[in-house]
Amino acid sequence: MLLIKNGKLITMAGIYEQTGDILIENGKISRIGNIGPIPENCEIIDAAGRVVTPGLVDAHCHIGLWGTASSAEMDGNENTSPALPGLRGIDALKWDDATFDVAVRHGVTTVVTGPGSSNIIGGTFSAVKTAGKDPDSRIISSEICMKMALGENPKVNFGRRNMAPKTRMMSAAIMREQLFRAREYYEKYKQNGGDPDFPFDFHMHSLMRVFDGMRVKIHAHQADDIQTAIRIANEFGLRYSIDHCTEGYMILGELVENHVQCLLGPTVGGKGKIESRNKTFEAGRILEEAGITFGLITDAPFVPIEGQLLQAALYVKSGLSREMALKCVSINNAIITDIDSRVGSLEPGKDADIVIWDVEPLATMSQAGVVIIDGQIVYMRKAGESNVDYQKL
């Protein structure tokens, strides 16, 4: 057992900066509140004066799939066909990617990572912990969402090779065609799937799961691409999020009307693409005021995962509330990727993924002091050390 005493708790579940304790048993949060008497054989961490939050969640990144040493390690985009729903990001995941260690020491305990956006349909994302005793123990879900993409990336990737899609019209047509095929396959499979002569289609078998409720992550920056994504999702009755959603604040009424869940970011950095010309930190405030459910993402490694809280702080500087900013990197990201039953908030029964902050998380010099994943201390910052020198336990 592990007991965190006297922390300034921000649970993302109704407790906001109240002093309290957290008892951890068998990798789960057992109790929250004023806990006493202290159980026997219990390790104690005194968090007096320090903020305690859930482990942070990055709901859209590509860490583990993008190499750092050579192109031979770049496994994030399969550029041979625009629609490959049978791909699984987890099959290319490098569990020893150094970025996982970076994530841990910056308080990120869960990532939803998977294929890039070169394909209209690129395969499935996984939800994994950033540390653990072995890969199996780190997996929350090996296939949590189906990735789709609209806009510049697939159009440019294939169009420059004189392949479809070369236009946004064709991108939408390919997405529709694949969904039509998958729906037809799904209906036939329900009726005849037990027949040994049933014509099994690997990619359609994967894609048909969106008609059983698997969430779709749709990459879309521009307002017109977001509108197309909403249109197609409504046509096929998909559960979905709009990822990046850069110009979503410009079509606020449509987001509200369609109850769209959004993942904003990355917003730090320059406007290097036409699609990002209207990128602004004001978007967070606008979506919060409209009551839209949204989270904040890094797209790491394209924006370093250690920049997640810096990005959140810049949204706060532009009017997003502090409480919502913290929710956007924890519980909201978990909700929008369907892993909130396990992570994203401090509640009894949930995984004991917890960060004790040496320095306020949204401060410029924020420092994670202790990081706990599944009840195990995976990182502890030694007194006086910088954020570069760290001890992994």
Side-chain angles (χ1 to χ4, degrees):
M1 285 189 288
L2 179 63
L3 179 63
I4 299 170
K5 290 286 293 181
N6 307 314
K8 189 186 294 184
L9 305 184
I10 301 177
T11 65
M12 314 302 169
I15 296 175
Y16 186 71
E17 292 196 328
Q18 297 174 27
T19 300
D21 312 328
I22 303 173
L23 181 64
I24 298 165
E25 298 182 82
N26 300 317
K28 300 287 185 181
I29 296 171
S30 174
R31 286 189 282 158
I32 296 176
N34 296 316
I35 296 171
I38 296 172
E40 293 183 7
N41 303 317
C42 187
E43 182 180 356
I44 300 170
I45 299 175
D46 187 359
R50 293 188 284 176
V51 170
V52 179
T53 71
L56 305 183
V57 178
D58 194 334
H60 180 120
C61 68
H62 309 283
I63 69 172
L65 281 82
W66 256 259
T68 55
S70 71
S71 59
E73 295 180 341
M74 298 291 187
D75 288 318
N77 284 311
E78 177 60 52
N79 294 318
T80 53
S81 173
L84 295 167
L87 301 182
R88 304 190 332 154
I90 200 166
D91 292 331
L93 195 63
K94 300 164 187 66
W95 294 97
D96 61 350
D97 187 329
T99 313
F100 286 119
D101 285 342
V102 176
V104 165
R105 68 177 186 260
H106 287 85
V108 181
T109 56
T110 298
V111 293
V112 180
T113 186
S117 51
S118 287
N119 306 86
I120 302 296
I121 305 178
T124 55
F125 269 56
S126 304
V128 302
K129 303 291 182 76
T130 51
K133 66 180 185 294
D134 55 51
D136 285 346
S137 72
R138 292 169 59 180
I139 296 170
I140 297 176
S141 174
S142 60
E143 294 187 277
I144 195 67
C145 305
M146 180 66 67
K147 174 68 180 297
M148 299 187 185
L150 293 169
E152 181 179 330
N153 286 7
K155 190 179 84 153
V156 171
N157 180 52
F158 290 97
R160 67 187 174 190
R161 291 180 281 158
N162 202 32
M163 297 171 62
K166 295 181 73 171
T167 65
R168 282 177 163 80
M169 294 182 294
M170 191 59 177
S171 292
I174 290 171
M175 187 178 287
R176 277 194 181 93
E177 179 186 34
Q178 291 291 309
L179 287 166
F180 269 118
R181 287 183 56 206
R183 186 168 62 186
E184 183 179 59
Y185 178 90
Y186 178 61
E187 293 302 325
K188 291 179 179 178
Y189 180 77
K190 285 193 296 183
Q191 296 173 12
N192 304 301
D195 187 336
D197 296 324
F198 179 78
F200 180 81
D201 185 314
F202 178 73
H203 288 289
M204 290 300 102
H205 202 81
S206 178
L207 185 55
M208 78 174 188
R209 291 176 293 175
V210 303
F211 298 109
D212 269 334
M214 175 182 273
R215 185 183 290 266
V216 179
K217 296 173 74 66
I218 308 178
H219 163 116
H221 286 277
Q222 285 187 179
D224 54 347
D225 293 320
I226 297 168
Q227 290 166 321
T228 298
I230 293 171
R231 187 180 308 117
I232 293 174
N234 287 344
E235 287 174 22
F236 289 92
L238 305 179
R239 294 180 63 249
Y240 68 102
S241 64
I242 302 295
D243 291 27
H244 309 304
C245 204
T246 304
E247 294 184 356
Y249 71 95
M250 299 169 63
I251 51 170
L252 198 63
E254 292 179 66
L255 299 185
V256 172
E257 179 183 351
N258 290 281
H259 308 287
V260 178
Q261 296 182 329
C262 310
L263 294 171
L264 300 186
T267 313
V268 293
K271 301 178 181 182
K273 298 170 59 176
I274 291 175
E275 293 178 330
S276 64
R277 63 191 180 278
N278 291 310
K279 181 168 64 173
T280 176
F281 286 105
E282 297 284 341
R285 173 186 58 79
I286 294 169
L287 266 59
E288 181 181 14
E289 290 174 352
I292 291 169
T293 301
F294 70 101
L296 301 177
I297 58 175
T298 65
D299 208 28
F302 302 104
V303 166
I305 200 159
E306 58 265 41
Q308 188 182 39
L309 286 174
L310 170 62
Q311 181 170 248
L314 291 171
Y315 273 103
V316 171
K317 184 179 179 181
S318 295
L320 180 65
S321 72
R322 175 177 179 266
E323 184 174 4
M324 183 58 72
L326 291 171
K327 285 183 175 180
C328 283
V329 294
S330 55
I331 188 60
N332 284 10
N333 276 351
I335 288 169
I336 297 171
T337 48
D338 300 326
I339 55 176
D340 54 303
S341 65
R342 294 273 306 271
V343 300
S345 63
L346 302 177
E347 299 179 76
K350 284 197 173 184
D351 294 0
D353 294 358
I354 302 168
V355 183
I356 303 169
W357 298 92
D358 281 359
V359 179
E360 149 70 32
L362 290 180
T364 305
M365 298 297 290
S366 66
Q367 292 279 7
V370 180
V371 179
I372 298 165
I373 295 179
D374 291 328
Q376 299 298 311
I377 298 172
V378 295
Y379 167 71
M380 183 175 287
R381 181 171 171 265
K382 292 181 289 188
E385 72 180 350
S386 72
N387 63 349
V388 177
D389 303 316
Y390 68 99
Q391 174 186 2
K392 246 179 78 177
L393 301 181

